[in-house]
Amino acid sequence: MSRVPPTVPPAAASLPVTVDVVALTVRDDALQVLLVERAVEPFRGALALPGGFVLPGEGLVDAATRELAEETGVTPPGHLEQLRTYGPLDRDPRGPVLSVAYLLAAPHFGVVEAGSDAAAAAWRPVAEVLPRKSADGGVGSGQGAARAVLAFDHARILADGVERTRSKLEYSALGTAFCADEFTVTDLRRVYEAVWGVRLDPRNFSRKATGTPGLLEETGRTTAGGTGRPAALYRAARPVVRPAGALGDGGGPVPALIDPPLLRPAARPPE
Amino acid sequence: MSRVPPTVPPAAASLPVTVDVVALTVRDDALQVLLVERAVEPFRGALALPGGFVLPGEGLVDAATRELAEETGVTPPGHLEQLRTYGPLDRDPRGPVLSVAYLLAAPHFGVVEAGSDAAAAAWRPVAEVLPRKSADGGVGSGQGAARAVLAFDHARILADGVERTRSKLEYSALGTAFCADEFTVTDLRRVYEAVWGVRLDPRNFSRKATGTPGLLEETGRTTAGGTGRPAALYRAARPVVRPAGALGDGGGPVPALIDPPLLRPAARPPE
DNA sequence: TCAAAAGTGTTGAATGTACACCCATGG
DNA sequence: CCATGGGTGTACATTCAACACTTTTGA
């Protein structure tokens, strides 16, 4: 085989590719995920992660943000990173489809509209959507809320996204991505508590957070109006920007690694 | 579910998909990567990660192991996990191509043959292939060995694989995947030293490794023939098998998490 | 008996955790 | 002045890092 024409390889090797977004936020002291109700046929009416097919000439991150905008009406702030890739076999009734999943950690934003392929979009507590995988055996029936079943393999993708989020809180500044532009140490602590499902000592957490280089940036301002002593307001320390090489993805800002890590306490029941 | 058109979506959304494998091992106290010399045109003659196009009806892991076998002649033991996905834009001169990269951590195995699309396959020290990204500025000229340039965006994929390996050594049993079936604590320590590029205290490492649950399994046997006191032989503790859901990939054995983590010492120059 | 490698004991430093205590504000 | 939440000081337990020392082999 001497010369290879500068064309793409045999079309037989091509696969339809989708992106799916695990968009997480913390609201009402609970970790919540953005889900849509599918308006089109495979799994029509079921809950699903926002996502859709990558268009020709489009990059993966572009596709992820476009689908999010189309199905929820917003282009939110927050940190977007690739989660992993699923498929192509045995995950879509239509045939082999590859799906690249993304994780979005964002402060709470309102869902503006239901878009093209989605009948409705709304935040749902992760605990209501995912069966608890405790060794307890049972599915830990929520309080009356019908267990929603997710389309495709989205339950597993969501579980992977939640697990990634939990572990990245320990050793990166990802937690600040869930907070608004300016936030207090208590805001950040509530993020940790909601994601890990534990209670943290406010005094030790404060020392740890303010003493960790690369995590917080002082604004000099404080809260006002609330009860109790005003709290100092911080911004997220400037994200580390990874030098983008010749790549079709990533290369964007990445939450800084924090050292020493904020270790998650030994798993103890939330009550 | 009423009726589902069992057709795949518009063909325009399809992309050629490749898998690339970052196969790492530790030999001669150095982290080494398996590279092939490309025999076909895009980047013909250049070094590249083994890999190739996913075939119709094939899963990603199947494609990765097949390409490895075709280009190196072996189906090695070791731990295979997905790294991340690259593309599809601006990474292949032939046009948009999506690449799903896999990481293989394996004990040293001989390269049997040069296969179909590869003119040669051989282990190369990572330090000779990747420019050191130290803040020193310079490219840290190796000792005379010409800096090999990798095809496509494989330098970045390799860098990501090496970084993943370095960090997973801290909190998982991945290090044992680089060792043979039975190995000593010193063997395992040399893996850590090679991957991290540091020296570790043999006495403290021994205590830490043998005292970490889920890492080592005693065989009751010891080495013989060498100089000095014989060392106890261990096997890797049984890998944790993740319950495979309805997914086209993964679900295989995963190295156990180890706790407390074996922390990498603060970066100090290897000398 | 010596060299070499494996493995154990011990000690001071650093870190994490629990909690007493002080600070600043609104009512 | 009291309730409420923010923030600091401090003491105990645990862990880590360095290294003296013992054990077990081959030469």
Side-chain angles (χ1 to χ4, degrees):
Chain A
M1 64 183 66
S2 39
R3 222 161 2 259
V4 170
T7 60
V8 282
S14 283
L15 285 168
V17 176
T18 65
V19 289
D20 291 306
V21 181
V22 178
L24 298 177
T25 196
V26 171
R27 190 170 55 136
D28 302 333
D29 291 328
L31 185 64
Q32 311 216 1
V33 59
L34 185 57
L35 295 179
V36 301
E37 189 183 321
R38 284 183 60 84
V40 295
E41 219 359 288
F43 296 97
R44 175 180 195 154
L47 292 176
L49 301 173
F53 287 93
V54 176
L55 300 182
E58 196 178 35
L60 293 174
V61 170
D62 295 334
T65 54
R66 175 183 53 76
E67 287 288 347
L68 204 55
E70 285 181 10
E71 299 189 339
T72 70
V74 291
T75 57
H79 169 74
L80 185 71
E81 73 173 42
Q82 191 181 302
L83 187 54
R84 65 163 289 161
T85 297
Y86 301 84
L89 267 28
D90 302 324
R91 56 174 303 276
D92 191 313
R94 291 167 293 186
V97 174
L98 200 67
S99 176
V100 184
Y102 276 77
L103 175 65
L104 175 73
H108 176 68
F109 55 88
V111 178
V112 175
E113 62 186 54
S116 50
D117 294 344
W123 296 104
R124 311 260 175 160
V126 167
E128 282 181 14
V129 179
L130 273 191
R132 305 212 169 275
K133 66 168 171 181
S134 88
D136 189 35
V139 175
S141 58
Q143 45 263 48
R147 177 79 52 211
V149 174
L150 297 189
F152 305 105
D153 52 355
H154 287 188
R156 174 155 132 78
I157 298 177
L158 172 57
D160 287 348
V162 169
E163 184 46 41
R164 167 84 63 94
T165 303
R166 290 199 172 122
S167 61
K168 280 201 96 162
L169 279 198
E170 287 195 342
Y171 59 89
S172 84
L174 181 63
T176 59
F178 290 103
C179 297
D181 271 11
E182 298 194 348
F183 57 91
T184 68
V185 172
T186 295
D187 292 333
L188 183 61
R189 178 169 49 82
R190 289 200 205 291
V191 168
Y192 275 78
E193 291 179 334
V195 174
W196 284 347
V198 297
R199 301 284 255 161
L200 299 173
D201 186 301
R203 302 160 296 204
N204 290 334
F205 184 88
S206 171
R207 219 183 330 233
K208 199 82 189 271
T210 56
T212 297
L215 184 63
L216 300 179
E217 191 176 283
E218 296 187 42
T219 66
R221 309 200 305 130
T222 59
T223 56
T227 172
R229 172 174 168 178
L233 281 168
Y234 297 89
R235 261 188 303 272
R238 216 162 309 293
V240 173
V241 175
R242 180 151 62 164
L247 43 97
D249 166 71
V254 161
L257 295 182
I258 61 179
D259 185 64
L262 268 155
L263 286 178
R264 162 164 40 164
R268 93 185 81 152
E271 219 63 18
Chain B
M1 189 86 28
S2 40
R3 98 218 62 122
V4 172
T7 59
V8 283
S14 284
L15 285 168
V17 176
T18 64
V19 289
D20 290 305
V21 181
V22 178
L24 298 178
T25 197
V26 172
R27 190 170 57 135
D28 302 334
D29 291 329
L31 185 65
Q32 310 216 1
V33 59
L34 184 57
L35 295 179
V36 301
E37 188 183 321
R38 283 183 61 83
V40 295
E41 215 5 280
F43 296 98
R44 174 182 195 155
L47 292 175
L49 300 173
F53 286 93
V54 176
L55 301 182
E58 195 177 37
L60 293 174
V61 170
D62 295 335
T65 53
R66 176 183 53 76
E67 286 288 346
L68 204 55
E70 285 181 8
E71 298 187 341
T72 71
V74 290
T75 57
H79 168 74
L80 185 72
E81 72 173 43
Q82 191 181 302
L83 187 54
R84 65 163 289 163
T85 297
Y86 301 84
L89 267 27
D90 300 325
R91 56 174 302 276
D92 191 314
R94 292 168 293 186
V97 174
L98 201 67
S99 176
V100 184
Y102 276 78
L103 176 65
L104 175 73
H108 176 68
F109 56 85
V111 177
V112 176
E113 61 186 56
S116 51
D117 294 345
W123 296 104
R124 311 259 174 160
V126 167
E128 282 182 13
V129 179
L130 274 191
R132 305 210 170 276
K133 65 169 171 181
S134 89
D136 189 33
V139 173
S141 58
Q143 43 263 50
R147 175 81 52 215
V149 174
L150 297 188
F152 305 106
D153 52 355
H154 287 188
R156 173 153 134 80
I157 298 176
L158 172 57
D160 287 348
V162 169
E163 184 47 40
R164 168 84 63 94
T165 303
R166 290 200 173 122
S167 62
K168 280 201 96 163
L169 279 199
E170 286 197 340
Y171 59 88
S172 85
L174 181 62
T176 59
F178 289 104
C179 298
D181 272 11
E182 297 194 347
F183 56 92
T184 67
V185 172
T186 295
D187 292 333
L188 183 61
R189 178 171 47 82
R190 287 201 207 291
V191 167
Y192 275 78
E193 290 178 335
V195 174
W196 284 347
V198 297
R199 303 283 256 160
L200 299 173
D201 185 302
R203 301 157 297 199
N204 290 334
F205 184 88
S206 171
R207 219 183 332 233
K208 199 80 188 272
T210 57
T212 297
L215 184 62
L216 300 179
E217 190 175 283
E218 296 186 41
T219 67
R221 310 198 306 129
T222 60
T223 55
T227 172
R229 171 175 170 175
L233 280 168
Y234 296 89
R235 262 189 302 271
R238 218 163 308 294
V240 174
V241 174
R242 180 151 62 165
L247 42 98
D249 168 68
V254 161
L257 294 183
I258 61 179
D259 185 63
L262 268 156
L263 286 179
R264 164 163 38 165
R268 94 186 80 151
E271 219 63 16

